[in-house]
């Protein structure tokens, strides 16, 4: 099974055990080998902080602690914003929407040749990156 790059909401849902991810998806993520943990673009850390700041996300612990636990190497592999990812953002088609976080997530997936676990309709509809599905 190939590992996914998690869109920010998919990461939050997985960590929090939210039913918006199917049981099959959660189990598939939980059962990935340690060497094949899901990938998370660093921009997702910022997105969670913004959601908390705007009262759109409530966590069961302090933000900094939650981010540290949820992004620990045993949980996910953090994908850095590299020159290759930045350049890939500029290569995304004109039709792809302008949200900077989504653009970085998609560019990261393209550079790393990973499928994305997302429910974002704009990402899905653009068909600029393959989507991950639990086996």
């Amino acid at each position: 099974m190939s590992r996914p790059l998690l869109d920010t909401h998919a990461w939050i849902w997985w960590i929090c055990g939210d039913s918006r991810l199917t049981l099959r998806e959660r189990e598939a993520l939980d059962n990935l080998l340690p060497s094949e943990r899901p990938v998370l673009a660093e921009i997702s850390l910022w997105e969670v902080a913004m959601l908390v700041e705007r009262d759109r996300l409530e966590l069961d612990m302090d933000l900094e602690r939650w981010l540290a636990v949820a992004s620990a190497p045993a949980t996910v592999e953090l994908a850095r914003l590299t020159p290759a990812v930045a350049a890939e953002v500029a290569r995304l088609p004109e039709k792809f929407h302008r949200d900077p976080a989504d653009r970085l997530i998609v560019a990261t997936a393209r550079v790393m040749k990973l499928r994305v676990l997302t429910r974002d309709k704009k990402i899905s509809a653009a068909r600029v990156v393959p989507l991950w599905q639990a086996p």
Side-chain angles (χ1 to χ4, degrees):
M1 172 183 9
S2 67
R3 65 188 180 154
L5 188 142
L6 303 175
D7 196 349
T8 304
H9 61 270
W11 174 51
I12 295 166
W13 296 347
W14 177 45
I15 296 299
C16 294
D18 192 299
S19 63
R20 286 176 280 189
L21 279 186
T22 67
L23 179 59
R24 184 176 177 178
E25 289 168 325
R26 288 189 311 244
E27 286 179 347
L29 293 171
D30 289 342
N31 291 326
L32 289 170
L33 297 173
S35 61
E36 292 295 314
R37 298 311 293 158
V39 176
L40 183 73
E42 287 181 326
I43 191 70
S44 291
L45 301 171
W46 173 83
E47 276 198 295
V48 166
M50 292 296 95
L51 289 169
V52 168
E53 178 191 16
R54 295 176 182 153
D55 292 324
R56 293 181 56 208
L57 176 64
E58 188 175 321
L59 302 173
D60 58 1
M61 65 180 74
D62 168 77
L63 172 62
E64 190 169 349
R65 183 166 171 241
W66 189 93
L67 288 170
V69 170
S71 67
T75 306
V76 294
E77 176 187 330
L78 275 180
R80 304 211 41 122
L81 172 55
T82 63
V85 170
E88 189 63 26
V89 168
R91 289 187 200 103
L92 290 172
E94 184 84 17
K95 68 178 180 174
F96 192 67
H97 70 102
R98 306 308 293 173
D99 179 274
D102 285 351
R103 294 177 70 80
L104 283 167
I105 289 166
V106 166
T108 300
R110 287 168 54 126
V111 167
M112 295 183 73
K113 299 182 180 2
L114 296 171
R115 294 177 177 271
V116 177
L117 174 54
T118 188
R119 295 288 193 280
D120 187 305
K121 291 182 185 345
K122 291 179 182 177
I123 291 175
S124 300
R127 298 183 180 192
V128 295
V129 66
L131 302 180
W132 185 85
Q133 295 180 350

